[in-house]
Amino acid sequence: MNPIFETIRKRILKGLPAISFFFFLYSIIVGLFGTRYAVVVSIFTSFFQSQRLKDHTIFFYIRLLFNSFLLCFLAYVSSFSLTFCILLNFTVPFLLVFIHSSQFNPKGYFSYAMMFVFLEMRPPTADTITLELIILAIAVTALALALQFYAKMFRRPAVPWKDIHVGLGELADLMDLMAAGKLSEDTVSRLRSLELKFHTLSYSGHRFFSPRRSTVKLYDMFAILFQRASYLAANTSWKNEVDQAHMEAIHRLALYVKKVQEQISPDDNQALISEARELLNGMHLTNGRLRIFFRSFLHMMILILKDVTEPVPIVSSWQKTSLEELAVSFLRRCSPESFEIRFATRLSVLMTVSYTISYLVDITHSYWLPMNAFIMLMPAYEESDKRARTRPVGTAIGCVLVYLILPHLTSTVSQFIFALANLSIMYCATPGTWNHPIFSTCYALTLTSMSIPQNTAISVRLICVLAAMVLVFAVNHCVFSTSRNTLFRLNIHQMFRLHNAYWDIIRRTITGWADLSIAREILTYFYMVYGEAFSYINQQPSSPQKEMDRRALITMWQVFSELEQIEFLLQLDETDEKDQAQLLRLATECQRHFTKGNTSPLPARFEQSEPGDGSGPDSASDLAYVADRYLANARAVSEAFARFA
């Protein structure tokens, strides 16, 4: 098949679900209430596109209905006066980004913000608000029916265990390679990819102001399991100090992981737990690095096997930790360097200025200015800059097509067919490209020309899109400008802040007040930030600076892995008071060192307890080994901290 036709076919198939839903809802809303409310169809088609591949409960639709009513009421209030217009156009978009988006789900705000912005284009009045609420309720019902139908007919349900089985199988294969002495950069890379995949799966279940999904804790624990294997592969200092017995131990562990993959069950894992304990008791390894790995790995495996068969009810566990997790997440989002604050402020400023202009100027369809500005402004600076360049081009071409074609469409039916055909093509095009706005412009101008002169509609459309382009460029460059290079530097800052926060977790573990769900949340967030920063570095052209940044980032990952190992050793409750006091001093000195503007040095080494002072077997030497590895790597990243801070 011709490549062009194959591309067209794929785009039609991809856009067909959205097109079908659009016509389904359009026939209901416009058929019953008229074209004035056609904007509701576009809003809920956006919801359908963003939600059709996800699972939903009845609570999602109840929440959507409540939010729709609230945003409709706020759009109504915004029309009362200029003061309300300014106040609501700043606060509502800001809160929608803050609540629904994150650095790794940057467009979570879009559909809700689109609802508020588009409902403001023709705000409800005292006479129509009741009708608009009824229309929104009908739209939510239609969306629920469409999503359930699509899920039943076309979408396979998510199967968490499939990811887990595949991950365990790959982990067993990679550990066999390590046991055979075939540890390579590719092995390390595959383990890191496996680790990042499960951190991503875990992070996708974390929702601000929402209970986490039941699989989050399981993904968290598997991510830590893979992280421990990844750290062993990356830290090759142990390779020259092991004998055949150590390599055979790794092979036995790989066989055990394979057995877990085949036999893990939600009903009974007692045999697998017993075997893990036998492996723990039977492996007397002299190499410190391997000894720590085996202990931490098998302890985590036992916790996973227990959790699978004895899960804590998700509601009670969420209620137990939600307030503190909410506080931690809220404080992180409130940082002036956070994605949420920076993008929320840009969007709020843009919508406030554009809707203020629209409110003040006496031009028909002046709301096209905030509408175009909203569509051009994206979380990623580069994508937003691209849209601000391509949308005026596509709009101009669309205006020309309407100018040439519309005079020949003399009947209302032919005009509707032309408009809806263009909208269908729009859903097959890629958002952000120059051709996407061609078809949205043809659709909008065709419907608008039914009520005002065609040339007036074209002129207003061009003026509004050009004004929006200028406004978006100004906001992008003057309000928390965040290019990919700036975001990389902010990510580095964030990793050092998370490093200091994890020392707080260690301090609280020693004093008996640690919440392990917070520790897992910090770990997950760190590795997500690390993955984004590492991806940025890999996309840069080769240079000495790139390699320096890459090494510093990998070392920072090792530093955090060592902090997690220290936390694990504390959880075993095998450290004595001297070890704990030394760790508290170490926490204070390291946090002080990695605070902007501080020049205090890192400690030279960790002063371990003497053997036979009451700590468990090998625990004192294990803690000292990990702490000294941490200090060595922390010194290695000090230069990077100073440069980026």
Side-chain angles (χ1 to χ4, degrees):
M1 183 182 290
N2 187 297
I4 296 177
F5 288 110
E6 178 64 15
T7 301
I8 293 173
R9 185 185 72 84
K10 288 181 178 178
R11 289 194 174 182
I12 291 174
L13 289 175
K14 185 178 179 181
L16 195 57
I19 295 169
S20 301
F21 176 77
F22 179 89
F23 280 106
F24 167 62
L25 190 57
Y26 192 91
S27 63
I28 296 173
I29 301 299
V30 176
L32 293 176
F33 305 103
T35 56
R36 171 184 170 84
Y37 301 103
V39 68
V40 173
V41 183
S42 298
I43 293 168
F44 280 88
T45 302
S46 173
F47 273 105
F48 178 81
Q49 284 183 297
S50 64
Q51 298 296 325
R52 65 187 175 93
L53 299 179
K54 301 177 182 178
D55 295 319
H56 303 97
T57 65
I58 186 64
F59 299 106
F60 167 79
Y61 300 111
I62 293 173
R63 192 164 59 246
L64 175 59
L65 183 63
F66 172 79
N67 289 335
S68 300
F69 284 0
L70 177 61
L71 292 173
C72 181
F73 176 74
L74 292 174
Y76 167 58
V77 174
S78 72
S79 65
F80 287 1
S81 67
L82 181 59
T83 301
F84 280 111
C85 175
I86 293 172
L87 179 64
L88 290 175
N89 275 287
F90 189 88
T91 56
V92 174
F94 188 96
L95 289 173
L96 290 174
V97 171
F98 196 84
I99 293 171
H100 293 288
S101 290
S102 69
Q103 185 173 341
F104 310 107
N105 179 30
K107 295 184 181 178
Y109 76 98
F110 187 82
S111 295
Y112 282 114
M114 179 181 180
M115 180 181 292
F116 178 70
V117 171
F118 279 33
L119 288 177
E120 276 192 289
M121 293 183 347
R122 287 184 176 178
T125 64
D127 295 331
T128 64
I129 188 167
T130 302
L131 179 60
E132 291 213 21
L133 293 176
I134 293 171
I135 291 171
L136 289 172
I138 292 172
V140 170
T141 304
L143 177 68
L145 293 173
L147 287 175
Q148 294 305 309
F149 175 79
Y150 184 86
K152 188 175 182 63
M153 299 299 295
F154 303 108
R155 187 171 64 80
R156 294 179 181 177
V159 184
W161 283 106
K162 180 180 179 182
D163 292 319
I164 290 168
H165 278 287
V166 171
L168 285 171
E170 186 168 0
L171 177 61
D173 293 340
L174 292 171
M175 291 177 70
D176 260 335
L177 288 176
M178 293 166 62
K182 298 178 181 178
L183 185 57
S184 65
E185 190 63 36
D186 179 63
T187 308
V188 176
S189 177
R190 287 167 63 188
L191 278 168
R192 281 192 183 141
S193 297
L194 194 58
E195 172 197 354
L196 183 59
K197 175 184 176 181
F198 275 79
H199 278 301
T200 304
L201 288 169
S202 170
Y203 186 83
S204 66
H206 287 270
R207 302 292 179 84
F208 195 53
F209 278 130
S210 299
R212 68 164 73 90
R213 298 173 186 173
S214 58
T215 53
V216 167
K217 183 180 178 183
L218 197 60
Y219 285 144
D220 274 338
M221 291 193 292
F222 272 105
I224 293 172
L225 190 77
F226 298 139
Q227 178 263 333
R228 289 172 179 175
S230 178
Y231 179 63
L232 179 71
N235 179 15
T236 58
S237 60
W238 56 272
K239 285 181 63 180
N240 299 325
E241 303 171 3
V242 297
D243 54 22
Q244 188 60 32
H246 288 85
M247 304 308 279
E248 288 175 1
I250 296 176
H251 178 65
R252 288 200 301 275
L253 189 59
L255 291 176
Y256 173 71
V257 172
K258 194 70 175 176
K259 183 181 287 189
V260 171
Q261 181 204 20
E262 295 167 353
Q263 298 181 11
I264 190 170
S265 163
D267 302 317
D268 182 16
N269 291 313
Q270 194 55 49
L272 291 172
I273 292 171
S274 298
E275 187 171 345
R277 286 179 173 146
E278 288 176 11
L279 287 170
L280 267 173
N281 295 330
M283 288 186 178
H284 303 290
L285 304 173
T286 57
N287 182 275
R289 174 65 260 165
L290 282 180
R291 183 172 61 246
I292 296 167
F293 165 70
F294 272 96
R295 295 174 75 198
S296 62
F297 187 92
L298 287 168
H299 272 97
M300 180 54 69
M301 186 66 84
I302 290 170
L303 287 175
I304 290 171
L305 293 170
K306 284 183 175 180
D307 190 77
V308 168
T309 53
E310 305 169 11
V312 178
I314 187 62
V315 173
S316 64
S317 66
W318 176 75
Q319 289 174 341
K320 181 179 178 182
T321 62
S322 62
L323 290 178
E324 187 167 0
E325 287 190 63
L326 183 64
V328 170
S329 181
F330 179 79
L331 290 174
R332 186 168 62 237
R333 286 166 181 257
C334 287
S335 167
E337 293 188 349
S338 73
F339 160 84
E340 292 83 4
I341 288 291
R342 297 177 75 86
F343 178 63
T345 304
R346 287 207 306 278
L347 181 62
S348 295
V349 169
L350 182 78
M351 298 320 303
T352 302
V353 173
S354 58
Y355 256 118
T356 299
I357 295 172
S358 176
Y359 190 96
L360 293 174
V361 300
D362 187 20
I363 300 176
T364 181
H365 288 71
S366 60
Y367 55 73
W368 277 342
L369 168 59
M371 183 201 73
N372 278 284
F374 171 75
I375 293 172
M376 287 182 196
L377 190 74
M378 289 286 107
Y381 172 87
E382 286 76 10
E383 183 184 358
S384 186
D385 191 63
K386 177 185 175 184
R387 287 196 178 204
R389 297 175 190 276
T390 58
R391 191 166 184 83
V393 174
T395 300
I397 295 173
C399 290
V400 172
L401 290 176
V402 168
Y403 182 79
L404 296 175
I405 296 173
L406 205 57
H408 301 288
L409 304 176
T410 55
S411 68
T412 303
V413 172
S414 63
Q415 291 176 0
F416 265 109
I417 292 173
F418 177 70
L420 295 176
N422 274 280
L423 197 75
S424 299
I425 299 171
M426 183 198 76
Y427 282 119
C428 297
T430 303
T433 57
W434 65 271
N435 51 19
H436 186 270
I438 294 175
F439 308 107
S440 61
T441 299
C442 289
Y443 168 76
L445 287 179
T446 301
L447 295 184
T448 304
S449 296
M450 294 178 181
S451 57
I452 65 173
Q454 174 186 302
N455 289 347
T456 301
I458 291 174
S459 300
V460 172
R461 186 80 175 190
L462 287 172
I463 291 170
C464 286
V465 78
L466 290 173
M469 178 187 71
V470 173
L471 188 55
V472 168
F473 273 129
V475 170
N476 266 338
H477 287 83
C478 300
V479 182
F480 283 140
S481 178
T482 310
S483 64
R484 294 196 67 213
N485 180 60
T486 303
L487 182 60
F488 171 70
R489 297 177 67 88
L490 295 177
N491 281 336
I492 299 296
H493 296 175
Q494 184 68 276
M495 282 191 283
F496 281 107
R497 282 197 295 271
L498 291 170
H499 160 275
N500 283 4
Y502 205 80
W503 267 120
D504 285 331
I505 295 293
I506 292 172
R507 183 181 282 107
R508 295 178 66 181
T509 300
I510 293 172
T511 57
W513 291 95
D515 184 341
L516 297 184
S517 65
I518 304 296
R520 289 196 301 269
E521 202 268 345
I522 291 174
L523 278 172
T524 298
Y525 195 73
F526 174 87
Y527 290 116
M528 293 294 291
V529 174
Y530 170 84
E532 186 171 272
F534 205 82
S535 175
Y536 170 81
I537 287 178
N538 284 340
Q539 294 170 13
Q540 301 307 302
S542 296
S543 68
Q545 187 61 57
K546 174 183 176 179
E547 286 306 307
M548 186 187 305
D549 290 344
R550 185 175 178 274
R551 284 196 300 272
L553 201 57
I554 291 173
T555 307
M556 187 63 195
W557 174 83
Q558 292 174 324
V559 163
F560 218 88
S561 296
E562 283 141 4
L563 281 180
E564 194 271 328
Q565 296 274 311
I566 292 172
E567 172 67 14
F568 160 73
L569 292 172
L570 284 170
Q571 290 169 23
L572 290 183
D573 199 25
E574 295 178 350
T575 56
D576 64 8
E577 292 183 3
K578 181 180 178 182
D579 290 329
Q580 294 174 3
Q582 176 69 356
L583 278 175
L584 290 174
R585 286 194 295 272
L586 186 63
T588 301
E589 293 176 33
C590 291
Q591 286 178 311
R592 186 184 300 128
H593 177 81
F594 288 114
T595 299
K596 186 176 180 180
N598 199 292
T599 58
S600 62
L602 286 167
R605 63 187 301 275
F606 181 80
E607 297 176 7
Q608 69 181 80
S609 301
E610 294 299 326
D613 59 1
S615 59
D618 298 318
S619 63
S621 59
D622 285 350
L623 182 60
Y625 177 87
V626 175
D628 284 337
R629 289 292 309 171
Y630 163 82
L631 288 170
N633 286 321
R635 279 189 285 271
V637 297
S638 288
E639 182 183 344
F641 172 75
R643 183 158 58 88
F644 287 111

